[in-house]
Amino acid sequence: DAGITQSPRHKVTETGTPVTLRCHQTENHRYMYWYRQDPGHGLRLIHYSYGVKDTDKGEVSDGYSVSRSKTEDFLLTLESATSSQTSVYFCAISPLPTGMDSNQPQHFGDGTRLSIL
Amino acid sequence: QKEVEQNSGPLSVPEGAIASLNCTYSDRVSQSFFWYRQYSGKSPELIMSIYSNGDKEDGRFTAQLNKASQYVSLLIRDSQPSDSATYLCAVNWDDRGSTLGRLYFGRGTQLTVWP
């Protein structure tokens, strides 16, 4: 299995509180991704990173921010959590961008189940 | 708008049968196609990738790609109860622009293999 650790694995918090999820990888991969998975929507990209301090938005980035100060860590922050952000969050990594002639797949961490009351 | 469509199922087949999972996508500027398996409560696990038109076989799994018709399928031969899971189709659009490195996922097809 790809060396990806997500923390925490489960979290329950209240509306309006800040929340930070961590993704840690030991593969030294350049590309890291944050997804959320909801019933009826499948996996949707929130933000991704293509290097230290290099990040970009995905399809559902509103209400989320990210940071990547080291190759191995990619943090996802909910500045003021809302009930609509209750979801399962997955981190994924790849050594090169998927596509662009590299055809590199993404490998996923075990996920964080976040409940916002 | 880049879209990936899958039948949500559930698809139910008996043990030993062939399970056929289908996926269509909206844009011809495509490059890479992936099938992930996800057991309930677990993370997606890559099982197949395909990049060229035609068939690609790996054990009991065969991926089929037809770019002209914009569909990709996954066949599972000799289905086993352990194959019961949700299968996610993912597509990368290689337009060398804003979608660099991104995967777009379908909603998944739930497969049940009964003994």
Side-chain angles (χ1 to χ4, degrees), chain A residues 24-39:
Chain A
H24 178 78
Q25 57 131 338
T26 58
E27 306 295 323
N28 200 35
H29 285 349
R30 181 179 173 189
Y31 287 79
M32 299 185 75
Y33 308 83
W34 277 109
Y35 292 90
R36 61 178 290 174
Q37 188 174 38
D38 306 289

Side-chain angles (χ1 to χ4, degrees), chain A residues 36-103:
Chain A
R36 61 178 290 174
Q37 188 174 38
D38 306 289
H41 288 279
L43 280 160
R44 294 180 290 174
L45 182 66
I46 305 171
H47 282 280
Y48 68 104
S49 170
Y50 46 97
V52 173
K53 299 189 187 304
D54 292 324
T55 64
D56 203 354
K57 297 179 179 180
E59 284 67 49
V60 290
S61 59
D62 287 348
Y64 302 94
S65 62
V66 289
S67 66
R68 191 163 177 206
S69 59
K70 298 184 292 185
T71 298
E72 57 266 36
D73 289 325
F74 192 31
L75 304 180
L76 177 71
T77 298
L78 291 65
E79 301 289 349
S80 179
T82 68
S83 59
S84 65
Q85 294 175 311
T86 292
S87 186
V88 180
Y89 291 85
F90 287 102
C91 173
I93 65 173
S94 64
L96 292 169
T98 304
M100 281 293 290
D101 302 320
S102 71
N103 297 320

Side-chain angles (χ1 to χ4, degrees), chain A residues 37 57 59 100 103 106 109, chain B residues 32 36 38 43 92 100 102:
Chain A
Q37 188 174 38
K57 297 179 179 180
E59 284 67 49
M100 281 293 290
N103 297 320
Q106 296 174 16
Chain B
S32 312
Y36 285 83
Q38 187 175 25
S43 62
N92 169 257
L100 176 64
R102 298 188 185 188

